[in-house]
């Protein structure tokens, strides 16, 4: 079975042997984590350096309907974290089946109580939230040429519920997508030009 860690280790071996035998496990873990963090499509900004529990995440999709847009999310980590999920709101107006135009987000892992077991759990991390938000922008129109990549496989298996339009928060956007994909794409493009640059 191919795991992400073994693939990354093999890829590192192909680039040449390690320069030092003293490379620590923590350095190697950081490397794996960095490679997992969404291919550079996400950026974090702390508006107030004295409030590290409040930050903004910018997602800049490089594929799919939302490619070329810049989508801002406000994240607040509550005092009870990690027993409760962070509070996340989309600050960018968007035409999306899982995000309302007022910024509410339908993302299963942000649900405190979930019947299907995909909601928040104390074992979840902020990295999972970043992955989940990024995954909202891949889906029906994503480039599947990367489907054999371990990162794509990991993302798909963790967030496959985000790839369908069957359980939308913004019902009008989901119905629009089902009715006329080309017109849906045009409306998404219009929203990107008007609100997400």
């Amino acid at each position: 079975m191919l795991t992400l860690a073994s693939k990354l280790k093999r890829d590192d071996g192909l680039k040449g042997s390690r320069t030092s035998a003293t490379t620590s496990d923590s350095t190697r873990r950081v490397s794996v984590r960095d490679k997992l963090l969404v291919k550079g499509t996400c950026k974090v900004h702390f508006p107030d350096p004295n409030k590290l529990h409040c930050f903004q995440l910018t997602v800049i999709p490089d594929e799919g309907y939302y490619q070329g847009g810049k989508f801002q999310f406000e994240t607040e980590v509550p005092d009870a974290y990690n027993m409760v999920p962070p509070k996340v709101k989309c600050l960018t107006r968007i035409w999306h089946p899982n995000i309302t135009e007022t910024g509410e987000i339908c993302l299963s892992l942000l649900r405190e109580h979930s019947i299907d077991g995909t909601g928040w759990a104390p074992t979840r991390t902020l990295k999972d939230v970043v992955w989940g938000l990024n995954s909202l922008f891949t889906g029906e129109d994503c480039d599947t040429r990367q489907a054999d990549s371990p990162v794509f496989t990991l993302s798909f298996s963790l967030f496959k519920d985000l790839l369908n339009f069957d359980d939308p928060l913004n019902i009008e956007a989901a119905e629009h997508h089902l009715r006329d994909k080309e017109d849906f794409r045009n409306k998404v493009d219009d929203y990107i030009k008007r609100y997400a640059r």
Side-chain angles (χ1 to χ4, degrees), residues 21-39:
T22 61
T23 302
S24 72
D25 285 341
S26 64
T27 304
R28 205 169 23 251
R29 275 193 297 268
V30 169
S31 175
V32 170
R33 186 188 69 222
D34 289 346
K35 289 179 182 182
L36 279 174
L37 278 176
V38 202
K39 348 172 248 194

Side-chain angles (χ1 to χ4, degrees), residues 8 21 31 114 142 147 154 157 164 180 191:
L8 293 173
S31 175
S114 176
C142 77
L154 175 65
S157 66
N164 73 51
D180 187 345
Y191 271 54

Side-chain angles (χ1 to χ4, degrees), residues 2 7 144-153:
L2 176 67
K7 165 107 172 75
T144 56
R145 289 174 292 179
Q146 299 174 342
D148 61 344
S149 127
V151 173
F152 180 89
T153 304

Side-chain angles (χ1 to χ4, degrees), residues 41-44 56-74 88-96 99 105 133-134 136-138 187-197:
T41 59
C42 296
K43 296 180 179 164
V44 175
Q56 290 183 350
L57 176 72
T58 303
V59 178
I60 307 167
D62 63 356
E63 61 185 334
Y65 289 126
Y66 301 93
Q67 182 175 4
K70 265 178 135 172
F71 303 95
Q72 302 283 327
F73 294 89
E74 181 178 73
V88 182
K89 181 176 181 171
C90 185
L91 301 176
T92 306
R93 193 164 173 201
I94 185 172
W95 189 243
H96 192 292
I99 303 173
I105 302 166
L133 292 171
N134 188 69
L136 286 171
F137 298 101
T138 61
K187 188 161 185 174
V188 167
D189 288 343
D190 181 52
Y191 271 54
I192 289 172
K193 288 175 188 157
R194 291 168 65 190
Y195 308 112
R197 292 288 176 186

